[in-house]
Amino acid sequence: MSESPLAANPYEVLGVAPTASDDDLKKAYRRRLREAHPDTGGSSAEFDRVQQAWQRIGTAQARSAYDAGGDASSGGSAAWSYGAAGGGTRRGDTRPSAKSSGHPGGWYREQYLRLMREWAGRGTQLDDPYDPRLVRTAPREIKHLLAAAVAEERTATALATLGMGFTIWHDVVAGAHPEDKVDHVVLGPTGLWAVLSEDWGTEVRVKRGDLIGEGLAPGERPLHQLGTRAKVVARAAKARFSALVIVVEDGQAPGSLTELGSVRGAQGMLVERSRLVNLIRTGLPGVGVGGTDLFEVRTRLQSSIRFV
């Protein structure tokens, strides 16, 4: 999987400037290895990050490729350009996919492109707004828009594999402002699910029933926010959500599946993306929508949902 637009670049991991000499780069690598080693107070995850950073810029050839934007680890601009993350059935997969509507990641991409052009400057021609060299230098809030768009597209690709028994709506209006949206609404035999796709670029933790982490803004409460938006959708459709799910990249959560608090009767969950489809297929104990109820809920959702 290509790295997040928010991930620290290898120079940042090694603690040197991109203009550092090869000799200074080697010294920084050896120092960071000692600091990150579990036996000297570091961690296995940080030790791996340092080694991976060295692999990407440790040789003249690799460093030249990275500085030119052709880093094989990130896939270059193709990794973040529109459509790179999919959004539908995987190529070569002939199984029927879930019925879906809406444009996953579309709103965030529009905002990313608008702000990127404003930041670059009026009259500046951006040949490739997804060029890794450009993305690396952009302010965090702009990179976060791109990360959120890619996260939504990757989740949409996964959700499409749920099959014919499920219906999915992407980028659903859930308030007065365009940013007030539910990324994915999923309906199937296991219930009605509100899903938030996120990538904060760092690991998140659970505290008092919600998420915290270095990548979250001060006071940000993702589960509470998702619950508030889901309530708008539920009220319009006269339906009740079974679960509120926050999806993050693999490796960004304490575990593949973590229970959060209950919000307005819906179970909150933090899930790594590789676990998402299995969770929704299996469902939660004692929760589900079936038979006539499923048809009626789908009809009400179909008539009330609007897209950003």
Side-chain angles (χ1 to χ4, degrees):
M1 179 176 291
S2 58
E3 71 170 24
S4 165
L6 289 168
N9 67 55
Y11 292 109
E12 292 171 335
V13 173
L14 297 179
V16 296
T19 55
S21 67
D22 291 344
D23 187 51
D24 286 341
L25 192 64
K26 291 178 182 178
K27 291 179 181 178
Y29 169 59
R30 296 189 183 108
R31 182 184 69 252
R32 290 290 292 120
L33 270 184
R34 291 192 299 270
E35 295 171 347
H37 199 284
D39 292 343
T40 58
S43 67
S44 297
E46 184 63 17
F47 191 73
D48 289 343
R49 288 181 70 214
V50 172
Q51 290 183 310
Q52 290 167 8
W54 178 252
Q55 289 174 1
R56 295 170 68 183
I57 60 173
T59 67
Q61 183 178 5
R63 186 177 185 181
S64 177
Y66 180 85
D67 291 343
D71 178 29
S73 182
S74 70
S77 62
W80 299 329
S81 62
Y82 175 71
T89 305
R90 291 181 176 86
R91 183 175 298 179
D93 190 345
T94 59
R95 295 172 297 178
S97 60
K99 181 180 179 181
S100 63
S101 306
H103 190 175
W107 187 81
Y108 279 126
R109 282 199 181 272
E110 288 179 357
Q111 305 314 306
Y112 167 78
L113 292 172
R114 177 179 63 83
L115 292 181
M116 179 61 86
R117 292 186 179 108
E118 290 181 1
W119 173 74
R122 183 173 299 177
T124 301
Q125 179 64 38
L126 295 182
D127 296 327
D128 182 1
Y130 302 110
D131 186 330
R133 292 170 296 180
L134 179 66
V135 174
R136 288 172 202 148
T137 59
R140 179 180 174 83
E141 58 267 27
I142 295 180
K143 290 190 285 190
H144 190 196
L145 291 169
L146 178 57
V150 173
E152 284 189 22
E153 291 161 0
R154 289 174 178 164
T155 297
T157 298
L159 291 174
T161 66
L162 282 168
M164 295 178 62
F166 291 84
T167 306
I168 309 165
W169 297 267
H170 302 290
D171 263 6
V172 174
V173 170
H177 305 287
E179 58 268 27
D180 295 330
K181 67 184 185 72
V182 176
D183 296 346
H184 320 275
V185 174
V186 183
L187 176 66
T190 57
L192 181 60
W193 306 72
V195 181
L196 166 68
S197 295
E198 252 299 358
D199 176 5
W200 287 285
T202 59
E203 295 180 7
V204 296
R205 304 183 304 280
V206 180
K207 184 177 182 181
R208 297 176 183 173
D210 218 314
L211 303 184
I212 60 172
E214 294 180 359
L216 278 71
E220 187 174 357
R221 300 169 60 195
L223 182 64
H224 174 79
Q225 182 182 66
L226 179 58
T228 300
R229 295 175 179 179
K231 181 180 178 181
V232 175
V233 177
R235 182 177 295 170
K238 297 179 180 177
R240 175 180 292 183
F241 278 95
S242 311
L244 309 174
V245 181
I246 299 176
V247 183
V248 295
E249 301 290 333
D250 287 9
Q252 290 187 354
S256 63
L257 180 64
T258 307
E259 289 191 7
L260 305 176
S262 176
V263 180
R264 298 184 176 91
Q267 176 63 53
M269 309 290 291
L270 172 64
V271 185
E272 291 185 340
R273 187 173 293 107
S274 62
R275 183 75 180 273
L276 176 64
V277 170
N278 183 63
L279 169 66
I280 295 180
R281 278 203 186 115
T282 305
L284 302 173
V287 177
V289 180
T292 304
D293 289 340
L294 180 61
F295 176 79
E296 290 177 353
V297 173
R298 182 185 294 115
T299 300
R300 292 199 297 269
L301 285 165
Q302 198 69 53
S303 63
S304 63
I305 277 181
R306 300 292 180 269
F307 303 103
V308 297

